[in-house]
């Protein structure tokens, strides 16, 4: 069953949105956006290994990565 999450919108500007969730909703939020998925965890592990050996690419935006996929 899917849980409804509530968040308080704190600030909106042209380039940014800031919202807050409660500590109680944090785990549900992470699950909802896919931070616990096996593929995501494996990607983080590979990224950490690359970082440790110096393979780093500077990015201005996540859109750069999404457009390459």
């Amino acid at each position: 069953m899917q849980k409804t999450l509530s968040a308080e919108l704190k600030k909106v500007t042209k380039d940014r949105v800031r919202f807050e969730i409660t500590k109680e909703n944090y785990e549900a939020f992470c699950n909802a956006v896919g931070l616990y998925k096996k593929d995501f965890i494996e990607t983080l592990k590979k990224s950490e290994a690359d970082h440790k050996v110096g393979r780093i690419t500077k990015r201005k935006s996540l859109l750069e990565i999404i457009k390459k996929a």
Side-chain angles (χ1 to χ4, degrees), residues 4-64:
T4 301
L5 299 174
S6 61
E8 183 179 340
L9 191 59
K10 286 290 191 178
K11 187 176 183 179
V12 179
T13 66
K14 179 183 168 192
D15 299 323
R16 298 170 190 240
V17 174
R18 179 176 161 208
F19 67 96
E20 291 184 5
I21 58 173
T22 64
K23 290 179 186 177
E24 293 79 20
N25 286 340
Y26 180 73
E27 188 171 349
F29 171 79
C30 290
N31 189 47
V33 297
L35 298 182
Y36 294 139
K37 290 183 180 178
K38 186 177 180 178
D39 292 341
F40 182 74
I41 301 295
E42 290 301 317
T43 300
L44 287 178
K45 288 179 183 177
K46 289 177 185 177
S47 176
E48 185 176 13
D50 284 343
H51 188 334
K52 284 182 180 179
V53 297
R55 288 189 296 261
I56 300 170
T57 304
K58 295 272 185 177
R59 302 282 183 200
K60 292 181 182 177
S61 167
L62 286 175
L63 289 174
E64 292 178 44

